[in-house]
Amino acid sequence: AGRAPGPPDGGWGWVVVFGAFVSIGFAYAFPKGLAIFFKEIQDFFGTSYSEVAWVSSIMLATTYGAGPISSILVNRYGSRPVVMFGGLLCGVGMISAAFCTSILQLYICVGFITGFGLALNLQPSVIIIGKYFLKRRPIANGLAMAGSPVMLCTLAPLNQFLFDNFGWRGSFLILGAILLNCCVAGALFRPIGPGTAPVKTQVTEEGKDALKGKITEDGPMENKTEEEGEKDCFEKVNQYLDFSLFKHRGFLIYLIGNVLMFLGFFAPIVFLAPYAKHTGIDEYSAAFLLSILAMVDMVARPTTGIVANSRWVRPRIQYFFSFAIAFNGACHLLCPLASSYTGLIVYSSFFGLAFGMVCAMLFETLMDLVGAARFTSAVGLVTIAECCTILLGPPIGGILIDTFGDYKYMFIKCGAVMVLAGTFLFVMNYYNYRMLAKEEKERKAKEEDPKSVRTENEGKKNWNKDSTQDGPELEPLREKGGGLKKEMNGT
């Protein structure tokens, strides 16, 4: 009584996956879908490619940079109210953008307000899937992340249709109303947290649990102890954001590789439609390229989730993730060879496959490294670090386009950066796996030592604890009867 239930791996969890599908779909696809309006906004305000690219960059950077704030709010209030409030902010931001009279006002309304609303949609949706799923988590993540291509496939032609009939201001009003559906998606996120034992039961067993501390139900995801009032400021902050993750070898490898990757991750998709228009392709055909990318992406994400959940791939999922990033970069390096519309269709297809593979495993690999208990803190710390390169990626691409008058240098830059990131992650993950195998061997040798018989049971308990908090998450591969663990938000 009073303990958090284990992940149900089904049931209402599939409804939660659908809500995350909608929420994540808007969070990822909306900044890309706005690229349809860039050329018209550029002509309306008389700005350059790099200036108008800041709209998507600020939105993406805010979405990622607000990760710690989103994580803290989720730890305090739960996923449901955070996502619903985020959907409200998205709608307000886009409706306000319809009345903007300068590019600076667009930066504020679309970039900051809408971007912050999308941040409150993205992280809680990813976090709650980890609460509902364990053994089937890669599949659930793949299905939820498939919301991005489905939304992009819908938004690309829809935005072009709205622009042709209502102009960019009228389109922003309608898109603001559509984004309010995130509030509906958030309402599906039923909390799963501390047990439902009555307060009287806990008080009756107070003498038995005095040394362990009582579990209260002040927040949907909080486990508080009687000593909380004595914690200093840093400990209270660390309760929501676990800064000890920066001592975690696997986490640091993931962080460095992803920060480098995002320097070239979003720019190609932002400039794909403008590039097609630049080569003389009509507007609807240019928008259709995003739909092709999204349709391939739509199939690639759940398929990648199924492959990643297989017994051959999941124990070494970090290698699969590294390959997906390098494959993505190789597609961008070959893009300048696509000079015709047919070539751009082929590029969009391979780009959609590579993009879907990366996105399907983006958060799954992080949870594999740090475990479910510390994932909430980890995703917040990762996104704040990634926001800098996300912010700079598209504007740097715009500067290259303005300087050379050609899009190929932007694609080459993005491809080279992503190939470098994939290679770095592959090499460093090989080193990490070798070190983990060495540490496991030393642990077993220590347990088999006759002198350590007295502490054998303690060693096993410590290993279970460490594997959840500090090493790769091995819980899906353990026997089902391992017992329930009480998670303390990574502390």
Side-chain angles (χ1 to χ4, degrees):
R3 288 186 175 183
D9 270 309
W12 186 261
W14 297 117
V15 180
V16 171
V17 168
F18 174 73
F21 174 92
V22 175
S23 191
I24 292 173
F26 278 120
Y28 275 120
F30 197 77
K32 305 164 196 168
L34 286 182
I36 299 297
F37 303 102
F38 278 4
K39 184 152 183 62
E40 288 71 25
I41 292 174
Q42 179 185 352
D43 295 337
F44 185 86
F45 291 114
T47 58
S48 64
Y49 276 108
S50 57
E51 287 177 324
V52 75
W54 278 101
V55 175
S56 282
S57 292
I58 293 173
M59 180 186 290
L60 288 167
T62 305
T63 301
Y64 278 77
I69 299 174
S70 181
S71 296
I72 290 172
L73 291 175
V74 170
N75 280 334
R76 183 65 184 88
Y77 300 105
S79 292
R80 176 185 280 174
V82 173
V83 173
M84 294 178 72
F85 179 66
L88 184 62
L89 276 182
C90 290
V92 170
M94 288 305 297
I95 291 171
S96 302
F99 302 97
C100 291
T101 57
S102 69
I103 193 72
L104 180 61
Q105 293 175 359
L106 278 180
Y107 292 161
I108 297 172
C109 294
V110 178
F112 288 109
I113 298 177
T114 306
F116 184 64
L118 293 177
L120 299 184
N121 277 270
L122 177 59
Q123 277 84 1
S125 303
V126 175
I127 289 167
I128 198 167
I129 289 175
K131 298 291 181 183
Y132 270 90
F133 291 90
L134 184 61
K135 292 185 178 180
R136 299 177 181 174
R137 195 180 63 222
I139 299 175
N141 273 322
L143 291 172
M145 297 297 281
S148 174
V150 171
M151 291 294 178
L152 183 60
C153 185
T154 306
L155 284 174
L158 174 64
N159 287 350
Q160 191 65 55
F161 172 79
L162 292 176
F163 174 75
D164 292 340
N165 290 274
F166 304 102
W168 69 270
R169 293 187 185 275
S171 301
F172 279 15
L173 281 172
I174 296 172
L175 289 172
I178 292 174
L179 281 173
L180 292 175
N181 284 287
C182 292
C183 299
V184 182
L188 299 176
F189 292 170
R190 180 186 296 170
I192 178 171
T196 57
V199 177
K200 290 182 179 179
T201 305
Q202 296 182 15
V203 173
T204 304
E205 300 180 354
E206 185 175 2
K208 186 187 297 183
D209 298 334
L211 297 177
K212 300 179 181 178
K214 294 184 296 181
I215 298 177
T216 61
E217 296 188 22
D218 294 337
M221 297 174 62
E222 286 187 308
N223 290 329
K224 299 184 178 180
T225 64
E226 295 177 353
E227 298 177 356
E228 184 177 356
E230 301 175 4
K231 292 181 179 179
D232 59 24
C233 182
F234 179 79
E235 288 175 330
K236 288 183 178 180
V237 172
N238 199 61
Q239 180 183 358
Y240 297 105
L241 288 175
D242 187 4
F243 290 102
S244 65
L245 283 165
F246 287 107
K247 299 179 181 178
H248 190 295
R249 183 175 60 243
F251 175 78
L252 289 176
I253 293 171
Y254 178 92
L255 181 64
I256 295 170
N258 275 257
V259 166
L260 183 61
M261 177 195 73
F262 275 109
L263 195 60
F265 191 62
F266 286 115
I269 202 168
V270 168
F271 286 106
L272 179 58
Y275 173 50
K277 293 178 184 178
H278 177 76
T279 58
I281 297 171
D282 64 275
E283 295 175 344
Y284 276 96
S285 297
F288 185 63
L289 289 174
L290 288 175
S291 297
I292 293 173
L293 186 152
M295 285 186 283
V296 177
D297 191 3
M298 195 186 310
V299 178
R301 297 197 189 201
T303 303
T304 302
I306 294 172
V307 173
N309 199 48
S310 65
R311 61 189 179 91
W312 299 282
V313 177
R314 191 166 187 184
R316 292 294 183 266
I317 195 173
Q318 305 297 331
Y319 291 149
F320 193 29
F321 182 55
S322 305
F323 165 76
I325 295 173
F327 177 47
N328 205 317
C331 292
H332 301 328
L333 289 174
L334 297 174
C335 178
L337 301 177
S339 56
S340 63
Y341 186 63
T342 304
L344 286 175
I345 290 177
V346 174
Y347 164 71
S348 299
S349 301
F350 278 98
F351 184 19
L353 174 62
F355 194 85
M357 290 172 66
V358 173
C359 290
M361 293 184 290
L362 192 62
F363 294 107
E364 173 60 31
T365 48
L366 177 59
M367 192 176 289
D368 174 74
L369 286 169
V370 303
R374 306 173 80 182
F375 179 69
T376 305
S377 296
V379 72
L381 295 173
V382 165
T383 52
I384 188 65
E386 292 170 346
C387 74
C388 298
T389 49
I390 290 172
L391 179 66
L392 295 175
I396 290 175
I399 291 172
L400 291 174
I401 295 168
D402 291 333
T403 303
F404 297 101
D406 197 335
Y407 282 78
K408 70 178 182 180
Y409 298 101
M410 185 272 299
F411 285 104
I412 291 173
K413 182 269 297 183
C414 295
V417 166
M418 294 201 68
V419 169
L420 179 62
T423 305
F424 170 82
L425 283 173
F426 187 89
V427 173
M428 295 307 296
N429 280 317
Y430 173 76
Y431 167 75
N432 189 36
Y433 280 131
R434 289 287 299 272
M435 292 299 296
L436 288 172
K438 183 179 178 181
E439 291 165 3
E440 167 71 358
K441 187 177 180 180
E442 291 176 353
R443 183 193 64 83
K444 287 184 177 179
K446 200 171 185 180
E447 285 185 353
E448 291 173 359
D449 187 355
K451 296 180 180 179
S452 61
V453 173
R454 186 175 57 87
T455 58
E456 182 177 358
N457 293 330
E458 295 179 4
K460 290 180 180 179
K461 291 180 181 178
N462 291 336
W463 166 246
N464 288 336
K465 181 180 178 182
D466 292 343
S467 63
T468 303
Q469 295 188 350
D470 294 324
E473 188 184 29
L474 304 177
E475 289 175 331
L477 307 178
R478 293 179 188 156
E479 295 182 0
K480 190 174 180 182
L484 297 174
K485 300 184 181 68
K486 184 168 68 176
E487 298 179 350
M488 302 291 290
N489 293 329
T491 56

